[in-house]
Amino acid sequence: MQHDLIAQARTWLAEDPDPETRDELGALIEAGDTDELAARFAGTLQFGTAGLRGELGAGPMRMNRSVVIRAAAGLAAYLKAQGQDGGLVVIGYDARYKSEDFARDTAAVMTGAGLRAAVLPRPLPTPVLAYAIRHLGAVAGVEVTASHNPPRDNGYKVYLGDGSQIVPPADGEIAAAIAAVGPLAGVVRPEDGWETLGEEVLEAYLARTDAVLAPGSPRTARTVYTAMHGVGTSVLTAAFARAGFPAPVLVTEQAEPDPAFPTVAFPNPEEPGAMDLAFATARRAAPDLIVANDPDADRCAVAVPDTSVEGGWRMLRGDEVGALLAAHLVERGVSGVFAESIVSSSLLGRIAEKAGLGYEETLTGFKWIARVDGLRYGYEEALGYCVDPEGVRDKDGITAALLVVELASVLKEQGRTLLDLLDDLALAHGLHATDQLSVRVEDLTVIADAMARLREQPPTALAGLAVTSAEDLSRGTASLPPTDGLRYQLEGARVIVRPSGTEPKLKCYLEVVVPVADAASLPAARARGAELLAGIKRDLAAAAGI
C-alpha cells in the first residue's frame, strides 16, 4: 500500500509542469510522509457545478497546474464535442496565488485544442469576465478564483456561451471529459497563439454599469469602501467616478490586491472581524454607508450607521440588502421577474406580489437564478445581487454597489436612511428576520451524519413553533430539481439545512415572520424575532447533533 502510494506520487511528479509543486511533492516523497501523501492522492478534486475549488498544493486532491491543465483539456474536449471547434473561450483571473498561471495554462490548452482563447488584461472582478463572454460572443468562459475562500485556496469557475455558470448535465459531461484526459504530455500547450485583451473590454463593462442607475437620480451619498485585499478597488472607483458619486474613502490597508489577505482571518465580509478596519475607517470619515466587496468583487456587503450597536456601525444582512434593492427597483417602476434562491428571505416574494411582478424561487446559486425567464432582478442571501441581468448573468458586486448607493442618495435627499426603508418594509409586509447557523468542519462526515440524523428523526417543533411540513429536497419538488437539503415549514418560520457547495460547512438558513401592527410595535417585533431565531438555532443544533 505504502509502496503503491509512493509510486503514484512519483508518476504524478514526473509530469508536473510546476517547479514549486514538484519541489513540494519531492520533499514529501523524500520524507516518506505517507499521511500527507495519502491525503493528496485519496482521489481527484471533483469538478462540479461550482467548477473546481480547493487548497493549493501538489497532487490530484489539490489545486495546481496539473489539475488545471486537465480541467482545461476536458473543457476543450466538451466544447468541441458540442460543435464549438474554433470558438472563443475568454479567461479571467483574480489576484490569488497561481491565478495568472492557471489562466495562462487554460489559454494554452484551448489554443492547442483548436479553440481561440482571449485572456483579460489583468486581475479583474469576476463580473467583468461574466460580461465579456456575451460581449465578445464567446462559446465559454473561465474565471480563476476562489472568491472569498482562505488564502491557501484557489478555484476554477466555468461559464458557457449564455454567460451563466454551468448546471447539469453540462457539469457531469465536462467532468467525464476531464476524467478521460490521458497523460499531460499528450495535452498540446503552445507557448503563444492566444490573445491578451486590452482595456476596451473593461471600458465596455464600465459603460454598461451606468445602465443600472436612473437618469438624473441623486448621487450624493458618501461611502467608505473596502476591496478586502481583492481586485475590486480600481473597477469600483472607476464606476463611481463615471456615475458621478463622491469618490469613496478607501480602507487603505485592504485596498490593493494581496493574496495573503493579511488583515483578515477569512476574506469574506460575512465573517467575524472581516469588517473591523472598514468600521474603524467609517468612524473617522463619517460616511452615509460602508460598501465592501469580496476578493473577486462579485459580492457586495453594506453597513450603515446605527447608534444602537457597539461601535456605531451595523452590517446589513444579505436578505436586508436584497429587499432594499427590490424596493428601490419597484419604486423606479421596473418590470420583469424577481428571483431568489430557496435559502433567501420570503420577503422578496411579498414585495414582488404587491408590485404585480413575477417571482420565482430557485435552487442555491446564481447558475440557477440567472436562468430564470424574464429575470429583472435576482439575489441570494450570501451577499450576491444580479441587478443588470442583460449585462451580467451572475452576481455582480460592482453594479450592486452602484444601485445601493443610488438608493442611499435618494433617501438622503428625503432626510431618510436605509434603516428607515427597512422599517417601512416591515410595516408593509411583516418583520422578516433571518439568521444562519453555520458550522465549519474539518471532517466532512460530521455534515453527512447531521443530515442523516435529521432525515431519520426530523424535529417536530423548534423554539416552541410546530413544524407543519418537512421536505427532503433530495427527492425534488414540483418546482425544484433534486438537491441535498431539508426544508421545514413552521408556524411563522422556515428552516433550510444544506451542505455548502463551496466550503466544508453545514449551513442552516432560518427565517421568522413577525406581524407588525404599527411603527410603535417595531422594537417589540424585532425582540420577538431575535428570540425566536435564537431558539430555533439552539433546538436545530440539538436535533442535528452539531
Side-chain angles (χ1 to χ4, degrees):
M1 177 67 185
Q2 183 174 329
H3 178 74
D4 291 350
L5 186 60
I6 297 291
Q8 199 180 352
R10 289 193 191 282
T11 302
W12 183 275
L13 180 67
E15 62 173 20
D16 188 340
D18 188 334
E20 275 187 53
T21 44
R22 275 206 311 272
D23 289 349
E24 181 187 313
L25 187 54
L28 291 172
I29 295 170
E30 186 71 24
D33 190 343
T34 50
D35 286 350
E36 185 61 26
L37 287 170
R40 291 165 184 248
F41 287 85
T44 56
L45 208 54
Q46 289 302 300
F47 185 93
T49 45
L52 293 168
R53 199 176 286 189
E55 187 175 341
L56 290 162
M61 287 296 287
R62 299 286 185 266
M63 281 295 294
N64 51 63
R65 289 183 59 199
S66 297
V67 163
V68 164
I69 289 166
R70 288 180 182 282
L75 175 59
Y78 166 82
L79 292 170
K80 290 171 76 172
Q82 300 292 314
Q84 306 285 12
D85 208 350
L88 175 68
V89 178
V90 61
I91 302 151
Y93 58 101
D94 67 11
R96 284 176 177 266
Y97 296 119
K98 300 285 183 185
S99 286
E100 189 170 2
D101 294 345
F102 295 166
R104 188 176 60 249
D105 282 332
T106 301
V109 171
M110 295 301 162
T111 303
L115 293 143
R116 292 180 296 125
V119 184
L120 292 184
R122 53 191 166 88
L124 287 168
T126 294
V128 178
L129 180 276
Y131 167 80
I133 294 165
R134 294 171 70 223
H135 175 66
L136 298 173
V139 299
V142 171
E143 176 70 17
V144 181
T145 181
S147 189
H148 56 279
N149 275 39
R152 64 178 184 273
D153 289 1
N154 212 330
Y156 198 81
K157 189 182 287 192
V158 176
Y159 299 75
L160 294 182
D162 62 357
S164 300
Q165 294 177 52
I166 52 168
V167 293
D171 59 336
E173 292 168 8
I174 295 169
I178 293 169
V181 175
L184 284 194
V187 179
V188 180
R189 288 184 290 130
E191 291 294 316
D192 53 31
W194 58 89
E195 180 185 2
T196 299
L197 296 165
E199 294 293 314
E200 62 277 0
V201 68
L202 178 60
E203 278 303 309
Y205 168 82
L206 284 169
R208 177 83 204 183
T209 62
D210 298 348
V212 306
L213 302 173
S217 62
R219 312 276 165 97
T220 55
R222 293 165 49 255
T223 56
V224 157
Y225 171 71
T226 176
M228 207 66 65
H229 298 295
V231 297
T233 297
S234 64
V235 179
L236 181 128
T237 52
F240 271 45
R242 289 180 68 102
F245 287 118
V249 175
L250 301 181
V251 179
T252 52
E253 302 94 330
Q254 299 174 336
E256 295 304 315
D258 186 335
F261 303 106
T263 67
V264 291
F266 282 88
N268 177 357
E270 292 182 294
E271 293 282 348
M275 293 288 287
D276 286 357
L277 284 170
F279 293 151
T281 305
R283 283 191 282 273
R284 292 193 299 270
D288 298 299
L289 72 166
I290 298 171
V291 170
N293 286 139
D294 66 339
D296 69 326
D298 63 351
R299 297 167 194 250
C300 177
V302 179
V304 294
D306 186 344
T307 54
S308 72
V309 299
E310 187 181 345
W313 282 86
R314 173 165 83 85
M315 271 278 284
L316 296 181
R317 302 192 69 84
D319 284 318
E320 292 175 313
V321 177
L324 288 168
L325 292 178
H328 182 44
L329 290 170
V330 166
E331 186 66 24
R332 278 180 30 185
V334 303
S335 58
V337 177
F338 283 6
E340 64 181 341
S341 63
I342 55 171
V343 300
S344 305
S345 171
S346 60
L347 177 55
L348 184 70
R350 301 198 180 189
I351 292 170
E353 182 182 19
K354 188 170 183 180
L357 298 173
Y359 168 73
E360 277 199 43
E361 270 191 324
T362 73
L363 291 184
T364 311
F366 274 81
K367 57 185 178 279
W368 300 108
I369 293 171
R371 285 184 158 76
V372 167
D373 285 342
L375 181 68
R376 176 57 185 85
Y377 167 64
Y379 97 91
E380 191 157 73
E381 55 73 47
L383 310 182
Y385 314 94
C386 175
V387 301
D388 177 25
E390 285 305 303
V392 176
R393 292 189 177 174
D394 199 2
K395 54 187 177 293
D396 182 348
I398 305 295
T399 49
L402 288 171
L403 198 62
V404 82
V405 179
E406 178 186 59
L407 171 57
S409 299
V410 169
L411 293 167
K412 185 178 182 177
E413 298 295 295
Q414 300 167 359
R416 305 175 75 236
T417 67
L418 296 173
L419 293 180
D420 292 329
L421 182 52
L422 285 173
D423 286 350
D424 292 350
L425 291 172
L427 289 168
H429 305 287
L431 177 76
H432 289 62
T434 58
D435 201 356
Q436 195 180 118
L437 171 62
S438 181
V439 183
R440 186 181 293 273
V441 300
E442 292 292 326
D443 179 1
L444 291 176
T445 61
V446 173
I447 294 176
D449 290 348
M451 294 297 289
R453 183 168 170 161
L454 288 170
R455 284 189 167 104
E456 288 160 15
Q457 295 178 295
T460 56
L462 296 167
L465 302 176
V467 174
T468 55
S469 75
E471 291 174 282
D472 186 341
L473 299 177
S474 66
R475 299 179 184 139
T477 72
S479 58
L480 297 170
T483 187
D484 186 11
L486 300 165
R487 178 163 59 181
Y488 305 112
Q489 300 290 347
L490 296 84
E491 293 171 354
R494 183 214 66 200
V495 172
I496 293 175
V497 184
R498 60 178 279 274
S500 169
T502 55
E503 297 176 273
K505 280 182 174 181
L506 181 68
K507 291 187 161 185
C508 310
Y509 304 85
L510 325 174
E511 178 177 48
V512 299
V513 182
V514 182
V516 183
D518 51 40
S521 53
L522 268 170
R526 286 211 170 85
R528 175 63 177 156
E531 177 192 350
L532 287 171
L533 288 171
I536 292 172
K537 207 185 262 195
R538 179 194 64 237
D539 292 353
L540 185 63
I546 51 176

